[in-house]
Every structure is written in C-alpha cells, then in structure tokens.
C-alpha cells in the first residue's frame, strides 16, 4: 500500500512570498459597459417584477409546471468521495460556512506538516491571524535533491467577511482589524529525500525573553530520521537583521537505526522536557531517542534495543499525554499496541486487533487519557476506551472489544486523525477521498434534532463538517487559535476555521 501520491510533477512552481492571484478584469477602472437590456424608461412610482418574457417569474414557472415543461433541478447534496464531478465541473466552498479560509501553494507538495506553538498568546480570536509551522516536501522523482524542510510563517490570515456567524456587533468590533493579503514566508533546510512525516517539539523556556528551543524530527524516505534545531529560523522571521548561522542547516542528530527501511511513525513525548522521540519503520521495529537530561543539547539513540511486537510496518506512534513512559503504536498488521518504555523485554504490554486492514493513524485524547482514536485503510475510523483492553497472555493480539464509536463514512483510506486539543468530543479526520471532516462525538443517536441531515443519506449525525482539499494528507488543530485547522495536501497548504467549531 502506497502512502504517497503516485502522480509525477512536471516541475516546481515558484512561490514568491506575498504574491497572490489577482482576479482578471475585462474593463478598465472608471469605465462602464452600456447595458443593452436596460429599460428605456424608469418609473419612480411603480415597480414591475418581470421575467424573461415580460411576465412575473412565479406566473411563468407555475404555467411550466402545469404543462410539464419545468426544468429539472438536481437538488442532491454533493459529497466528495461519494459523488463524482462531470467534465468541466469544479467544487467551490460555501464561504458562509467558514470564519476563515486560506489556501497557499508551496514549491513541492508536502506529505506532512506540524504546527509550532508561538509566543503570540493562547486562545486568540482576533484577526488577521498568524501561524508558524514546519513541513517536509515530496519532490517529483528525479528531483530528490530539491527536497526541503520548510520552516514557515503564515501571516495576514484575515477573517472571512461572508461567514454566516458574523452579526452587526462583530462587524463593528472588526472595523479596526487591518485588511491584508495572506503571506507565506519560508526558510528552507536542504534535504535529499522525501519527508514521510515531521513532528516538532519545544523544550521549556529558560526565560520569557527568548524563544523556546524548537526541534523537528523528519523521517525520510531513505530511512534516516533527521533532528534539526529550527530555533534560529523561527527567530529570523521576527528579528530584523538576524543572521541564521551557516551550521543551522546541519542536523543536530541523525537516527540511522532503521537502516534503509523507511517509515511514518514519529512522535515526541509531551512529558519529557529534554526530548524523547519514538520512531518506527516498515520492518515493525521501534527505536527510542532521548535528549540529554542536563539540557545541554544532543541526543542518543538506543539502536541495540528495538521494541518488537508488530508483524509488519509500524504506521503511527502516539505518546500518552498523562503517562510519561507509555506510548501506543499502530501497524499495517491491523493491531494497536501499548508499550511501557521502561520494560526490559521490549514487548507490548497490550496488543489488540482493531481492524482487518492497515491501521494508518492514531490520536490520543489530550482531555480524556483513556480514549484513543484509530484510522484504517478501509476508510473506517474508531474510538476506543482501552481500559477495556486485556492482555492475552501470549504473543498474539487479542480481538478488540466493541469500540466506543465507529464510522464508515469515508470510502478511501484514513490518512490523519486528531482530537481537538481542548474538547474531547471533537475530532478531525483526513481521508484519501480528498476530504477533511470534523466530527462531534457528543451528538447522541437518539437525539431527535440530530436525526435531520438535510435529507442526505448515509450521513452520521456526528458529522459536523466536510471540507474538500485535493489529496489531503494530514491536519492539525492549532493549539492557540481555537477551532483553527492547518492541513497539507497535493495542492498545497490550507488554514481554515468553520462556523461549526
């Protein structure tokens, strides 16, 4: 199973920071076209509503219906992945459903992205918004040396004034907000291989006057995992005259324990101040890399002690948000395993079969630590209370008990799943059908109001929102801008916030 796009690219499209597409015009400013259909006479006393044949529309439409000549109108709701566009048709977002919506192009598409927490404050609701992120590119075959690790600043992300939740009071409050065009600034670190997955980690700040040390771990198609200190690149965005050291582009540590075996499983522990990283590969092995406890920088990989328990590729790793030494892993063998990093045996404490297909992604709830979401290759995703999981007493995995929730809305593989950082009922899901969906697990099936789905069949009441994004691969909630989602796909980057979350 390929986790990467098989499409070839003709060549990179250059991105110029700040450049935005300009709508084409057919008339010069200040000039107007004569309306050949304009009424010759105008009356201030009488307004006549007339259709194309001089009669009111309602009268003409009633006659057409009576005669059977009325035009059939397709009122079916279009769902990407379920329905197909005809030749020449395109999809356009309903802007009234988005409080913010921006798309930005990159030189090459990115399989993976991660959001960097900044110093602009938590719970931000003002506009224009600013987002810092890191991503790794997937250059076309034959252009491997053009790959990059991109450190990005997305600024000028304005509020959408067509959003359906804007009232007059909001408009008055927004009068002082500057109207700007979105700008993508990038600082790049050269790479020679595609980045399958990238994750960022920040060490605790020594003082509030300086940026926290920020590391990235980029798992390469070549099998290496590169750890970079990207703090200088982040500093350069907002410090005029700052010069990035020439040595900053070199990795502070390279994990070679995986040999030439590529992988996708990468995660930093949120509870290890010096940094603790778990990485898994296509052979089913997992290795730990830890930072120096004295905070002096530097990492050590225990390459002689692999965690072994999966029968095939490790697709995802997630550290527990509450237990410092516990992490979970998902595999293409259909299992999810729970591990204790302190165990000398280096075997799973629990191993449970959750799908008959590959388990591609996991997400551990930050609010309810016993909930785990898994996304599968058959398009289904599930939520598990792993307190009900029990050890089998042997090496084989046990069948999982009934999940807390299970959904089969998507018809292509699940490529990303993530719990909302502050709401344990909201989940974001990406799938191979080019959709990014938002879900509210708090909606009850027997809720009379939740049964209404606008006459659309086979739509679970928990489905809040469907966002179309071409070849979407991965998404993350922004931890400081409530409800904001950052995503990457074949067509570039997307930043949006819906009126529903």
């Amino acid at each position: 199973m390929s986790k990467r796009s098989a499409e070839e690219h003709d060549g990179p499209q250059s991105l110029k920071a700040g450049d935005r597409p300009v709508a084409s015009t057919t008339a010069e400013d200040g000039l107007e076209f004569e309306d050949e259909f304009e009424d010759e006479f105008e009356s201030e006393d009488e307004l006549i509503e007339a259709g194309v044949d001089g009669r009111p529309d309602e009268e003409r439409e009633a006659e057409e219906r009576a005669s059977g000549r009325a035009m059939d109108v397709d009122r079916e709701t279009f769902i990407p992945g379920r329905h197909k566009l005809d030749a020449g048709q395109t999809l356009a977002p309903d802007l009234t459903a988005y409080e913010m919506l921006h798309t930005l192009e990159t030189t090459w598409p990115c399989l993976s992205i991660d959001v960097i927490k900044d110093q602009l404050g938590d719970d931000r609701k003002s506009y224009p918004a600013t987002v810092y992120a890191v991503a790794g590119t997937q250059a076309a075959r034959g252009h491997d040396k053009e790959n990059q690790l991109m450190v990005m600043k997305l600024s000028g992300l304005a509020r959408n004034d067509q959003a359906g939740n804007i009232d007059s009071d909001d408009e008055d409050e927004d009068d002082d907000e500057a109207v700007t065009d979105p700008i993508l600034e990038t600082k790049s670190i050269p790479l020679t291989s595609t980045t399958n997955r990238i994750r960022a980690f920040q060490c605790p700040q020594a003082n509030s006057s300086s940026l926290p040390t920020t590391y990235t771990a980029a798992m390469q198609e070549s099998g290496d995992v590169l750890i970079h200190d990207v703090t200088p690149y982040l500093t350069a965005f907002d410090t005029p005259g700052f010069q990035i050291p020439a040595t900053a582009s070199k990795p502070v540590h390279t994990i070679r324990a995986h040999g030439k075996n590529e992988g996708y499983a990468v995660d930093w522990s949120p509870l290890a101040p010096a940094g603790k990283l778990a990485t898994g590969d296509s052979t089913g092995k997992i290795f730990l890399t830890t930072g120096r406890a004295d905070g002096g920088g530097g990492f050590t990989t225990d390459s002689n002690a692999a965690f072994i328990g999966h029968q095939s590729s490790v697709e995802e790793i997630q550290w527990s948000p509450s237990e410092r030494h516990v992490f979970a892993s998902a595999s293409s063998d259909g299992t999810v395993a729970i591990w204790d990093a302190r165990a000398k045996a280096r075997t799973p404490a629990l191993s449970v079969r959750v799908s008959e297909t590959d388990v591609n992604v996991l997400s551990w709830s930050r609010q309810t630590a016993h909930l785990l979401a898994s996304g599968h290759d058959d398009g289904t995703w599930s939520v598990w209370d792993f307190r009900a999981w029990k050890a089998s007493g042997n090496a084989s995995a046990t069948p999982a008990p009934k999940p807390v929730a299970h959904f089969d809305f998507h018809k292509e593989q699940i490529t990303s799943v993530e719990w909302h950082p502050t709401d344990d009922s909201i989940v974001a899901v990406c799938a191979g059908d080019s959709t990014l969906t938002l879900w509210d697990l708090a909606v009850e099936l027997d809720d009379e109001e939740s049964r209404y789905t606008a006459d659309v069949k086979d739509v679970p009441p928990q489905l809040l929102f469907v966002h179309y994004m071409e070849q979407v691969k991965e998404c993350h909630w922004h931890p400081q801008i409530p409800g904001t989602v950052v995503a990457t796909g074949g067509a570039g980057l997307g930043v949006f916030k819906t009126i529903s979350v």
Side-chain angles (χ1 to χ4, degrees), residues 25-71:
T25 58
T26 57
E28 297 179 2
D29 293 341
L31 299 180
E32 297 181 355
F33 289 107
E34 180 180 357
D35 186 357
E36 60 178 314
F37 299 105
E38 185 177 2
D39 293 340
E40 187 173 354
F41 301 99
E42 295 181 354
S43 170
E44 296 181 357
D45 300 325
E46 184 178 11
L47 177 64
I48 300 176
E49 181 181 357
V52 293
D53 58 358
R55 294 181 298 162
D57 290 338
E58 293 183 359
E59 179 183 330
R60 186 186 65 261
E61 291 171 359
E63 181 180 321
E64 290 177 347
R65 285 195 296 271
S67 63
R69 291 184 289 109
M71 179 179 64

Side-chain angles (χ1 to χ4, degrees), residues 110 112-114 133-137 148-152 195 198 493:
C110 301
S112 183
I113 192 171
D114 204 5
V134 290
T137 63
Q148 302 172 347
L149 189 162
M150 298 191 302
V151 186
M152 299 175 287
T195 297
I198 188 168
L493 309 178

